[in-house]
Amino acid sequence: MVPRLMRLGVLPGLSERAWVVLLGVLVLGTISPTAIAAASSDDFTFNVTSIVVRKAEQLLELFRNGSRIKAYRICLGSNPIGAKTCVGDRKTPEGDYFVCYKSTGSRFWRFLGLSYPGEEDARRAFEQGAISLDKRNLIIDSIREGKRPPWDTELGGWVGIHGYPTDEYLRRWCAILLPKPDNWTDGCIAMWNSEIEELYSLVPVGTPVLIVP
């Protein structure tokens, strides 16, 4: 699937940083309305106090003290209907989580790790016989202490918000064949690299993330 051709007119008054953002989008071979909005805004300093992900709308919203301040179109797991329950189901989780890990060394440009599996995921899995009592308790204790839960159980892990591949060759092909908002991840939430770059700078570890169907 080839993305729609980009039409870029004259944009007077853009700052040097704005042009850098637009250039980064051009490298991906496409442009998104949210990237244009970000490039034309000088407010890169607001504090994000919570995030809401709406799976059905493929929308990630940023909130500051209860007021929505920005939204991005997103990609989800390639099997997006329903909540994640195990390794390899390619579903994006649903429930209450928080940003528990940040990395600039990701193979998907930037990575904001989410606290999946959460308490409810652990309880449900234990009741269904999918994990042991020890694993359930370890997950719950980690969440209550504000730490990253174990990502090596039967429930899966390393779920987060990230960009497109860091490798230039893979990034170009991924952007051409799977442009946003196509769902292509293993269960993570993906956005253009220019957008995750911005989001990464705005979201601290501990930020609550609500993911709804």
Side-chain angles (χ1 to χ4, degrees), residues 85-86 121-122 124-132 135 153-155:
T85 59
C86 63
D121 301 307
R124 183 169 52 249
F126 173 70
E127 291 170 0
Q128 295 173 351
I131 60 173
S132 68
K135 289 180 180 178
T153 72
E154 293 85 346
L155 304 187

Side-chain angles (χ1 to χ4, degrees), residues 36-57:
I36 295 176
S40 60
S41 171
D42 291 327
D43 185 10
F44 286 88
T45 60
F46 51 75
N47 295 316
V48 173
T49 55
S50 64
I51 296 173
V52 175
V53 175
R54 303 185 187 280
K55 289 175 62 175
E57 301 172 47

Side-chain angles (χ1 to χ4, degrees), residues 111-128:
F111 184 73
L112 295 172
L114 301 182
S115 59
Y116 172 87
E119 288 192 42
E120 291 304 315
D121 301 307
R123 291 193 183 95
R124 183 169 52 249
F126 173 70
E127 291 170 0
Q128 295 173 351

Side-chain angles (χ1 to χ4, degrees), residues 105-111 162-166 184 193 196:
S106 171
R107 60 193 180 99
F108 293 100
W109 194 249
R110 299 288 182 268
F111 184 73
H162 61 63
Y164 275 66
T166 301
W184 57 271
N193 287 359
I196 189 62

Side-chain angles (χ1 to χ4, degrees), residues 56-212:
E57 301 172 47
Q58 290 183 252
L59 196 67
L60 184 151
E61 300 173 309
L62 304 183
F63 288 84
R64 177 176 56 198
N65 300 325
S67 298
R68 193 176 90 159
I69 52 180
K70 192 153 190 175
Y72 304 89
R73 293 298 303 279
I74 54 173
C75 311
L76 303 170
S78 58
N79 186 23
I81 305 301
K84 184 172 185 62
T85 59
C86 63
V87 174
D89 62 8
R90 302 186 71 84
K91 292 180 180 292
T92 299
E94 296 173 3
D96 288 298
Y97 304 98
F98 59 88
V99 176
C100 63
Y101 175 80
K102 294 178 68 173
S103 174
T104 59
S106 171
R107 60 193 180 99
F108 293 100
W109 194 249
R110 299 288 182 268
F111 184 73
L112 295 172
L114 301 182
S115 59
Y116 172 87
E119 288 192 42
E120 291 304 315
D121 301 307
R123 291 193 183 95
R124 183 169 52 249
F126 173 70
E127 291 170 0
Q128 295 173 351
I131 60 173
S132 68
L133 178 62
D134 287 344
K135 289 180 180 178
R136 184 203 72 170
N137 291 344
L138 182 58
I139 292 170
I140 291 175
D141 289 345
S142 298
I143 297 299
R144 291 182 177 179
E145 293 171 7
K147 298 178 180 178
R148 184 179 77 180
W151 283 348
D152 58 354
T153 72
E154 293 85 346
L155 304 187
W158 288 99
V159 175
I161 307 169
H162 61 63
Y164 275 66
T166 301
D167 179 85
E168 182 177 354
Y169 178 81
L170 293 177
R171 181 170 72 248
R172 288 179 180 274
W173 276 110
C174 195
I176 291 171
L177 298 176
L178 299 166
K180 198 176 72 167
D182 283 16
N183 292 322
W184 57 271
T185 77
D186 289 337
C188 289
I189 297 159
M191 53 177 57
W192 293 129
N193 287 359
S194 60
E195 295 170 330
I196 189 62
E197 182 84 28
E198 178 182 83
L199 186 66
Y200 190 93
S201 69
L202 300 174
V203 177
V205 169
T207 301
V209 179
L210 173 63
I211 306 177
V212 299

